[in-house]
Amino acid sequence: MTTTMRVLSLTTTDWRSFYQSQMTALERVDVEVTTLPVPSEHRALEDDVRRRTPLDYARYLPHVLREARGDYDLVHANYGLTAPFAVAASALPRTELPVVCTLWGGEYRDNPFAPLIERFAARADRVVVPSNAMADRVDRSCRVVPFPVDTEQFRPISRAEAREHVGWTTDERIVLFPYAPSREEKNYPLANRVVDGLEGEVSLRTVANQPYEDVPYYLNAADAVLITSRFESGPMTIKEAAACNTPVVSRDVGFAREVLADVENSYVADDAALRDRLADVLETAEPSDGRARITGYGIDEMGARLRAVYERCLENATSS
């Protein structure tokens, strides 16, 4: 019989899709998680560093130290900015909690706190990253545990049903840019230029800050998803679209090439080829076969991998 673990999870956000999927994954492998998010989060804004002040993080520390005195087996820092707080919690008298730190991918991009994050991530017992591309950027040993996609929620839905659900009452071809155009790193101007150069009637639609349960409908309502980001740690949208069998055309960012390598009617391309590849997808008017190709990215797989990381931490703590 599997022993139940109790984990204190420190995070900058507890509403992102991949974090919610992680909680589901851990619940299925008998890991009880208490989530303690940094205060003062505003969902309408996009960047955790800009949306909070140092005072918010200063107020966070006593909450972490107080909660860490509870009955926990270890503390898990989700996102690098929570690593200093996890290390502080592990140093409390009579706690000595092992620390797992998951780096989400945005920690080292134009981040003034990157040196601080690196210093405290180096003190974690285990570091987890979501992709091989991210592992190559981390200057220490780490375990790759891909962010999971909930294939029960992200599933093929008929285009007619999906468009009716999201209010796109049109027969035109639609390319989905799945972010707010204001997010500079997502590079909406490039997406707009790519679609503007296509022949025929093609509409570029954007979606941001919609209820999570509606996202599969937007993905299924589109003829293709276009990713033009300047940089990415993911993006999770690629896995979610693949699970819906929605074709994806993406720049070579994050884990795009890793996920789409064997997916039909989806492409990773450089800027000069994005329009041609998107035109190919729209001309075929066929779904991808992504759902059959994204094995290994499910919730159950993530739960098993992450629990194994926890168990190794606890074994090392017991033997040391």
Side-chain angles (χ1 to χ4, degrees):
M1 183 176 180
T2 304
T3 303
T4 300
M5 292 184 185
R6 297 199 67 218
V7 173
L8 175 61
S9 176
L10 310 183
T11 181
T12 55
T13 175
D14 60 356
W15 59 269
R16 296 259 176 99
S17 62
F18 56 82
Y19 185 80
Q20 292 295 327
S21 295
Q22 178 175 303
M23 295 304 98
T24 300
L26 291 173
E27 181 181 351
R28 291 184 182 180
V29 292
D30 292 321
V31 177
E32 294 181 2
V33 179
T34 297
T35 298
L36 196 63
V38 180
S40 300
E41 179 169 43
H42 304 291
R43 296 193 186 191
L45 299 178
E46 310 293 345
D47 190 323
D48 289 325
V49 176
R50 290 197 299 268
R51 77 172 63 144
R52 295 188 179 92
T53 69
L55 180 60
D56 294 318
Y57 284 94
R59 290 193 294 124
Y60 187 50
L61 181 59
H63 290 294
V64 172
L65 297 182
R66 183 166 54 249
E67 184 63 37
R69 296 183 185 277
D71 183 21
Y72 295 106
D73 295 299
L74 58 84
V75 58
H76 187 163
N78 278 282
Y79 194 74
L81 278 175
T82 64
F85 302 93
V87 171
S90 73
L92 285 171
R94 295 182 299 279
T95 58
E96 298 178 348
L97 294 172
V99 174
V100 173
C101 177
T102 294
L103 300 174
W104 288 356
E107 286 87 348
Y108 304 142
R109 293 194 303 258
D110 300 321
N111 189 339
F113 301 107
L116 179 71
I117 292 170
E118 290 179 345
R119 187 179 314 131
F120 280 92
R123 296 176 62 181
D125 296 279
R126 289 287 186 279
V127 170
V128 174
V129 293
S131 68
N132 291 319
M134 183 64 187
D136 291 339
R137 297 169 56 187
V138 179
D139 190 22
R140 63 157 290 173
S141 62
C142 52
R143 174 73 184 275
V144 177
V145 179
F147 290 146
V149 57
D150 186 345
T151 54
E152 295 177 7
Q153 180 166 11
F154 289 91
R155 66 201 187 280
I157 302 169
S158 75
R159 186 165 297 157
E161 178 186 349
R163 289 193 177 185
E164 181 179 2
H165 184 90
V166 302
W168 293 353
T169 54
T170 176
D171 292 329
E172 67 184 333
R173 294 177 296 173
I174 294 177
V175 174
L176 179 64
F177 179 82
Y179 310 104
S182 60
R183 294 185 64 179
E184 184 178 351
E185 77 278 11
K186 302 301 184 182
N187 204 358
Y188 177 75
L190 175 58
N192 198 39
R193 290 196 301 273
V194 168
V195 173
D196 272 352
L198 293 170
E199 296 182 0
E201 188 176 4
V202 182
S203 173
L204 179 63
R205 303 284 183 104
T206 66
V207 61
N209 299 321
Q210 296 298 321
Y212 182 49
E213 59 270 18
D214 285 341
V215 175
Y217 288 94
Y218 282 99
L219 293 173
N220 280 282
D223 293 270
V225 172
L226 179 60
I227 306 294
T228 53
S229 304
R230 293 183 171 88
F231 48 80
E232 283 284 359
S233 55
M236 277 302 296
T237 302
I238 289 179
K239 293 181 183 179
E240 293 165 349
C244 295
N245 284 338
T246 300
V248 177
V249 177
S250 176
R251 295 185 74 235
D252 191 1
V253 291
F255 50 56
R257 187 170 296 279
E258 192 175 326
V259 173
L260 297 176
D262 298 319
V263 177
E264 296 291 335
N265 205 31
S266 290
Y267 299 96
V268 175
D270 59 27
D271 291 6
L274 282 173
R275 184 177 298 143
D276 288 341
R277 298 291 77 77
L278 183 57
D280 291 341
V281 166
L282 296 176
E283 184 177 355
T284 66
E286 295 290 336
S288 77
D289 63 348
R291 188 173 181 84
R293 304 292 184 179
I294 57 170
T295 56
Y297 298 128
I299 286 178
D300 290 339
E301 289 87 352
M302 185 201 198
R305 290 168 178 161
L306 203 48
R307 181 171 175 115
V309 172
Y310 292 166
E311 289 174 344
R312 183 62 61 86
C313 268
L314 294 175
E315 288 170 4
N316 289 352
T318 301
S319 61
S320 61

